[in-house]
Amino acid sequence: MNANLYALLRDHFAEHGEQPCILHPGGAVIHYDDLDATSARIAHVLVASGCEKGDRVAAQVDKCWQALALYLACLRAGLVYLPLNTGYQKSELTYFFGDAEPRVIVCSMEKLATIGALRPEATVLTLSGDEGTLLDLARDAPETFDSVVAAPDDLAAIIYTSGTTGRAKGAMLTHRNLASNALTLVDAWGFTRGDVLLHALPLYHVHGLFVACHCALLSGSRILWLSKFDAADVTKLLPHASVMMGVPTFYSRLLAEPGFNEDACRSVRLFISGSAPLLPETFNEFRSRSGHAILERYGMSETGMNTSNPLRGERICGSVGPPLPGVAVRVANSEGRACLPGAIGGIEVKGPNVFAGYWRMPDKTRDEFTADGFFKTGDLGELLDNGYVKIVGRATDLIITGGLNVYPKEIEERIDALPGIAESAVIGVPDPDFGEAVTAVVVAKAGQAPSEADLIAALKAEIANFKVPKRVHFVDELPRNAMGKVEKNTLRQRYSAS
Ligand code: AMP
């Protein structure tokens, strides 16, 4: 049997190939057959570019349906898809390309010169919607392609997640990981061919690419395709959707939209939230404005989805629900023993959804698994009496801003390297829009302090915008404990109030 995820997806939509798959508001409709043919053509281009099974294909492209076809083409050709945040800058890309050694890199047309120079060994193709060399080459390629036979443990994708040390790790996801999670979610959330999924998430993250697209493709439903989230547009389009997936920021922005009300949600059966904690205020206000209890779920790049509040049954505000079928979740204390309900410990997971390890980091991989095969997520949580999981914090200082992860260490190193800076600490402070806002606390060298605006501008030239601090506070010294560690909790308290 072929464990290629594309074979599974195709089995579910092939019979209805003439059905619409992607709906652009007020514009083109892409049918399942179109997606199938375009992904076949792209698969031929990748193979003709010299890609062999297991080779990596990196993509830093703006959201467009053709980018989804590129991902599917990689699955079909047995290649490993490496989606990259469109905000990543030169230094970040240099690291990813050096680490993953992609054979092909696909980028937007305006990035061609920069990216071509970063990795001369790779074939660099362009994709900007309908345009670019990838589709130019694909136009004459055959519209059928036999999906490569994949074993369940063959790699399908590598997703880079920031490390606590600032060095990003590539989470290796297999066809089995992605397929098992997709099947589980379609069932858990009741996806059917009648659904219309409002898709305003980015396509370079597990949430928008795997969770959202797999649920739709596997159930043969339609995707209302938005290039980005805009609360006013979404409010107008919701009456055409039956399901919406989003990060908490989407929901708080909808609440700030005057036209958002129960009527706008009349055709929606399910709102799903994840990637960052959903504040109780948002959950409650959303329920009173729309009549819907948002279904919160919990997952991560390394594992796909682990827990979910139920489709039918009680959705508990502040909880991410019970483990999904087939996924074992436990909360362990520092000695690795399971905690009793109510006690806080590290959340650990095991199941067919859990990744195969970090790319070329066997030691790091070993460190993150227990002797009995559970993955240590780094999240802190507790089990409630009813078996639901509650996340209470993070073992590390990870900041989640608008659903995207920022590890302070990486930003601190960048700030410290700037002229006039002695040292810095980067923290997340509560923010009504982003969940958390990246905030820097900086000690300047005597008489050399740059302005807040100059420091932010310098960082913007080096790293993706979402990682750049929204505020910079200058102080004479950082608070430290007896061991010399910066007391970030003190800083969080101080600047949360300000
Ligand atoms: P990522 O790998 O970018 O998907 O980030 C995964 C991390 O996001 C998890 O380890 C959690 O810390 C956090 N996360 C995801 N979903 C939730 C949620 N519903 N509530 C709280 N934190 C979440």
Side-chain angles (χ1 to χ4, degrees), residues 159-161 205-207 248 273-278 296-303 305-307 319-320 377-380 391-394 398 400 403-405 407:
I159 305 292
Y160 276 94
T161 73
H205 187 269
V206 287
H207 195 165
S273 175
S275 292
L278 182 69
E296 188 174 9
R297 76 350 171 238
Y298 158 62
M300 61 196 305
S301 301
E302 287 92 334
T303 63
M305 300 303 102
N306 297 313
T307 72
S319 150
V320 291
T377 63
D379 291 312
L380 299 174
I391 298 178
V392 298
R394 296 180 290 268
L398 173 69
I400 304 184
L404 295 169
N405 291 0
Y407 280 84

Side-chain angles (χ1 to χ4, degrees), residues 10-304:
R10 197 169 188 286
D11 274 354
H12 284 75
F13 67 66
E15 262 186 56
H16 317 284
E18 75 295 345
Q19 296 290 324
C21 173
I22 291 169
L23 314 172
H24 296 91
V29 176
I30 308 302
H31 297 84
Y32 274 92
D33 280 345
D34 302 327
L35 193 62
D36 189 56
T38 304
S39 62
R41 291 196 171 103
I42 296 177
H44 283 290
V45 174
L46 297 173
V47 172
S49 305
C51 285
E52 292 173 9
K53 195 175 171 191
D55 280 344
R56 275 77 58 210
V57 174
Q60 190 190 36
V61 290
D62 291 329
K63 184 174 174 183
C64 55
W65 74 267
Q66 294 88 344
L68 176 61
L70 170 62
Y71 160 60
L72 298 176
C74 290
L75 294 177
R76 299 182 79 165
L79 307 173
V80 182
Y81 189 60
L82 203 136
L84 294 168
N85 188 318
T86 44
Y88 285 138
Q89 302 288 333
K90 251 183 182 173
S91 62
E92 294 154 314
L93 295 172
T94 305
Y95 170 74
F96 296 131
F97 296 156
D99 191 49
E101 300 183 304
R103 179 156 302 237
V104 168
I105 300 170
V106 183
C107 65
S108 56
M109 302 219 276
E110 69 268 17
K111 293 235 170 112
L112 178 62
T114 318
I115 287 188
L118 294 181
R119 183 114 193 124
E121 301 91 325
T123 301
V124 183
L125 300 169
T126 55
L127 176 67
S128 296
D130 265 342
E131 295 179 27
T133 52
L134 178 70
L135 295 180
D136 289 346
L137 293 167
R139 245 159 238 133
D140 294 329
E143 62 172 34
T144 56
F145 183 96
D146 288 335
S147 292
V148 163
V149 175
D153 290 330
D154 284 348
L155 294 193
I158 294 178
I159 305 292
Y160 276 94
T161 73
S162 308
T164 38
T165 56
R167 195 173 154 216
K169 302 164 288 183
M172 300 189 289
L173 296 163
T174 64
H175 286 264
R176 186 210 314 267
N177 294 152
L178 300 179
S180 69
N181 216 226
L183 287 163
T184 302
L185 295 179
V186 165
D187 201 38
W189 296 339
F191 268 87
T192 66
R193 266 207 316 130
D195 275 316
V196 180
L197 171 70
L198 189 145
H199 193 305
L201 290 158
L203 214 56
Y204 49 71
H205 187 269
V206 287
H207 195 165
L209 183 60
F210 300 149
V211 183
C213 292
H214 290 169
C215 280
L217 299 182
L218 200 53
S219 58
S221 52
R222 282 159 287 169
I223 308 178
L224 191 50
W225 189 266
L226 304 182
S227 56
K228 61 175 178 26
F229 179 85
D230 175 276
D233 290 347
V234 169
T235 304
K236 275 193 222 109
L237 290 166
L238 270 176
H240 304 282
S242 66
V243 183
M244 174 176 146
M245 288 187 196
V247 294
T249 306
F250 287 11
Y251 294 108
S252 53
R253 288 191 183 172
L254 278 179
L255 289 171
E257 191 57 33
F260 178 75
N261 54 28
E262 206 157 331
D263 191 43
C265 305
R266 60 186 178 269
S267 63
V268 181
R269 67 172 181 87
L270 185 61
F271 288 97
I272 303 174
S273 175
S275 292
L278 182 69
L279 296 177
E281 297 94 277
T282 312
F283 180 92
N284 290 326
E285 200 187 329
F286 199 89
R287 177 140 68 179
S288 60
R289 277 272 284 283
S290 70
H292 283 271
I294 299 171
L295 179 152
E296 188 174 9
R297 76 350 171 238
Y298 158 62
M300 61 196 305
S301 301
E302 287 92 334
T303 63

Side-chain angles (χ1 to χ4, degrees), residues 411-412 415-416 420-431 437-445 449-456 459 468-479 486 488 490-498:
I411 319 303
E412 288 159 7
I415 296 176
D416 295 354
I421 304 298
E423 62 169 345
S424 62
V426 169
I427 51 170
V429 301
D431 180 278
V438 180
T439 302
V441 186
V442 173
V443 181
K445 290 181 186 153
S451 70
E452 179 177 17
D454 284 352
L455 195 148
I456 289 177
L459 290 174
V468 174
K470 305 245 172 318
R471 286 299 316 270
V472 180
H473 302 280
F474 289 92
V475 294
D476 290 336
E477 62 177 43
L478 296 174
V486 175
K488 288 203 166 172
T490 310
L491 291 176
R492 278 189 211 106
Q493 275 161 15
R494 191 185 297 163
Y495 294 108
S496 296
S498 75

